Amino acid sequence: MNLLIRNGRIIDPLKGIDQVGDLLVIGGKIAEVGAGFKPAPTIVDATGLIVSPGFIDLHCHLRQPGFEEKETIASGTGAAARGGFTTVCCMPNTNPPIDKPEVVGQIRETTIKAAVVRVLPIGCVTVGRSGVKLTRMSQMKAAGVIAFSDDGSPVADSDIMRQALETVKTLGVPIIDHCEDPTLAKDGVMNEGALSVRLGYRGIPAAAEERMVARDIQLARETGGHVHIAHVSTKGSVDLIRRAKKEGIPVTAEVTPHHLTLTEEAVLAHGAQAKVNPPLRAQSDVDALILGLGEGIIDAIATDHAPHTIEDKTGNFARCAFGISGFETALGGLMTLVHSGKMDLTTLISRLTLGPARILNLLNLSGSLQVGAAADITIFDPNAEWTVDPEKFASKGKNTPLAGAKLKGKVLLTVFEGRIVYRDESCHLLLNQAI
């Protein structure tokens, strides 16, 4: 599709662009950015809207293979497109886990048939995510994985983690670690503190995360391997990462929308819908995460999209599954930071596009609007107000603490490689032809 997007506020952090203008797409590529272009067969009037590179989610769970009752590659990428994501990186805690080149190949085949946006698989660090034996990492990389993680489980054995970091240094990809000391976090279900004591639940202390972050930083210092800290949740972790970056250690980090916008108090109002791992923390932690994101100490925002069945999230809080279905509420939730003055819009877009692209070395593939790049584009209205209705989610996972919440900021159009893969129901007003 040849497409002309007119009169939008174009924001591209890589090129330093923040201007009202036009963007021309020809043959699935960005052809020109500026003004006065010859009309294309399809024209989008983006007046009053933001035009940005397609969002990149470097940490999500598509559940396939093995847990298709929770999500599939088809339903998950449909939800991602609704959230403005044009590239998603799927975690390997599937069944079978992504620990062999053959499984990578199966996922890639399914993606070709079913996905509406780009899917990049993340491979296991250890066979079966057991923490005992490294996978055939070089073969996995050749098969198409773009990082390694035992997500859902930390790489608890320090010697195994050191070997993994030494290996990925030669491969040029990161280890994404779920930083949690299993002995400190054992059986915990929410943030450790006065609220967990009051509710009678075993807590997960900040030290469980921070101890593992400190270990990973030390091993990255020794090996030179790139460690990426998944879903940072505490002030102490931000402080550790800040010091490591000042020292020049190869460490990057991400934070989720829910850790930026919710505190442990959400458990009181939403019960198991607010149960995540790492848990929602105190307001002081949230404030530190926002500050770290703005400073660039935290490099990227990742949804940790974790869809579950209704049964997974029903019943006794302590036994319910961890996780939030996050693709479709990510932008609306994050825009609360912009509307409240806690973060500027350009920084937010940068952490959803340029940040993850740099971490995973994807700038030759996605993450910018530079001429010649794939036409991965997200158009959103920063002021559109809407109410979250999980029953309308494209995702199979309806699990969210935001049900009924009124958000301000909505994706209207998502373009992947020049094709419109999602448009909001209001978008018929923006196009000069039916699609």
Side-chain angles (χ1 to χ4, degrees):
M1 177 180 292
N2 292 343
L3 180 69
L4 177 59
I5 300 169
R6 277 186 165 166
N7 204 38
R9 179 182 170 191
I10 302 170
I11 299 178
D12 182 358
L14 176 66
K15 304 299 289 184
I17 294 172
D18 186 347
Q19 65 186 42
V20 174
D22 301 343
L23 189 151
L24 181 64
V25 174
I26 298 177
K29 304 285 187 181
I30 305 294
E32 293 186 78
V33 179
F37 307 134
K38 181 180 178 180
T42 300
I43 300 174
V44 175
D45 179 5
T47 302
L49 307 179
I50 307 300
V51 180
S52 84
F55 303 156
I56 300 171
D57 190 356
L58 58 77
H59 185 150
C60 72
H61 303 269
L62 297 181
R63 304 301 192 196
Q64 191 176 4
F67 303 105
E68 286 83 357
E69 73 279 6
K70 299 173 186 282
E71 193 78 285
T72 63
I73 288 173
S75 64
T77 58
R82 288 172 65 101
F85 294 94
T86 55
T87 299
V88 296
C89 306
C90 58
M91 282 293 174
N93 51 344
T94 51
N95 185 24
I98 309 174
D99 63 355
K100 299 178 181 66
E102 295 79 8
V103 182
V104 179
Q106 292 170 13
I107 290 172
R108 292 174 70 87
E109 288 178 10
T110 303
T111 295
I112 292 169
K113 297 175 183 177
V116 298
V117 299
R118 186 179 295 107
V119 176
L120 302 176
I122 295 170
C124 295
V125 177
T126 63
V127 175
R129 297 175 47 247
S130 65
V132 176
K133 180 182 178 181
L134 291 180
T135 57
R136 294 173 287 168
M137 298 177 86
S138 61
Q139 293 180 33
M140 296 276 284
K141 169 75 160 33
V145 304
I146 44 83
F148 293 91
S149 180
D150 278 354
D151 188 66
S153 304
V155 182
D157 187 304
S158 295
D159 185 52
I160 293 292
M161 185 62 168
R162 182 174 63 177
Q163 292 178 45
L165 285 169
E166 289 171 343
T167 302
V168 296
K169 183 181 180 183
T170 67
L171 298 177
V173 297
I175 298 290
I176 301 174
D177 201 21
H178 174 109
C179 286
E180 178 182 81
D181 184 322
T183 61
L184 290 175
K186 184 178 181 181
D187 299 326
V189 295
M190 65 175 294
N191 184 46
E192 182 181 88
L195 185 58
S196 65
V197 172
R198 173 181 155 193
L199 295 177
Y201 295 131
R202 181 176 175 85
I204 300 175
E209 176 174 306
E210 292 159 8
R211 180 174 176 179
M212 198 62 80
V213 170
R215 184 211 66 171
D216 283 358
I217 288 171
Q218 177 61 29
L219 291 177
R221 177 190 288 113
E222 292 177 3
T223 64
H226 177 184
V227 65
H228 177 77
I229 310 300
H231 41 51
V232 174
S233 74
T234 76
K235 179 181 184 300
S237 292
V238 176
D239 291 340
L240 287 164
I241 296 163
R242 180 182 287 109
R243 289 196 291 271
K245 288 197 166 191
K246 286 182 179 178
E247 193 179 327
I249 297 170
V251 57
T252 54
E254 72 190 43
V255 64
T256 73
H258 46 271
H259 286 109
L260 290 167
T261 57
L262 299 171
T263 71
E264 61 186 341
E265 297 290 328
V267 172
L268 289 174
H270 305 288
Q273 299 299 333
K275 182 181 178 183
V276 287
N277 190 13
L280 300 174
R281 303 287 188 179
Q283 185 62 54
S284 57
D285 295 301
V286 173
D287 293 341
L289 293 170
I290 294 170
L291 179 62
L293 188 68
E295 292 178 343
I297 302 304
I298 299 175
D299 305 79
I301 297 170
T303 68
D304 195 9
H305 173 73
H308 287 290
T309 64
I310 293 173
E311 292 74 20
D312 291 333
K313 283 289 194 174
T314 303
N316 184 283
F317 178 86
R319 291 194 292 271
C320 287
F322 293 99
I324 291 171
S325 182
F327 281 148
E328 293 164 79
T329 58
L331 178 69
L334 291 166
M335 284 300 294
T336 63
L337 302 177
V338 176
H339 292 305
S340 64
K342 294 180 180 179
M343 183 161 294
D344 67 85
L345 183 58
T346 300
T347 298
L348 181 62
I349 291 174
S350 179
R351 304 299 183 260
L352 286 165
T353 57
L354 181 58
R358 281 178 168 162
I359 291 166
L360 298 175
N361 300 311
L362 299 178
L363 279 174
N364 63 334
L365 187 66
S366 188
S368 82
L369 297 175
Q370 57 189 332
V371 172
D376 295 353
I377 305 164
T378 298
I379 301 177
F380 65 92
D381 185 341
N383 298 309
E385 296 182 348
W386 60 289
T387 301
V388 177
D389 181 357
E391 294 307 310
K392 294 182 179 179
F393 282 2
S395 172
K396 286 188 174 185
K398 315 303 180 186
N399 48 301
T400 175
L402 297 178
K406 289 181 168 51
L407 301 179
K408 188 177 181 182
K410 190 177 188 184
V411 174
L412 299 183
L413 203 71
T414 304
V415 179
F416 170 60
E417 293 186 339
R419 303 186 302 276
I420 294 176
V421 292
Y422 170 70
R423 61 170 178 151
D424 185 74
E425 56 190 14
S426 66
C427 273
H428 66 280
L429 301 174
L430 306 176
L431 297 163
N432 74 338
Q433 65 176 52
I435 297 174

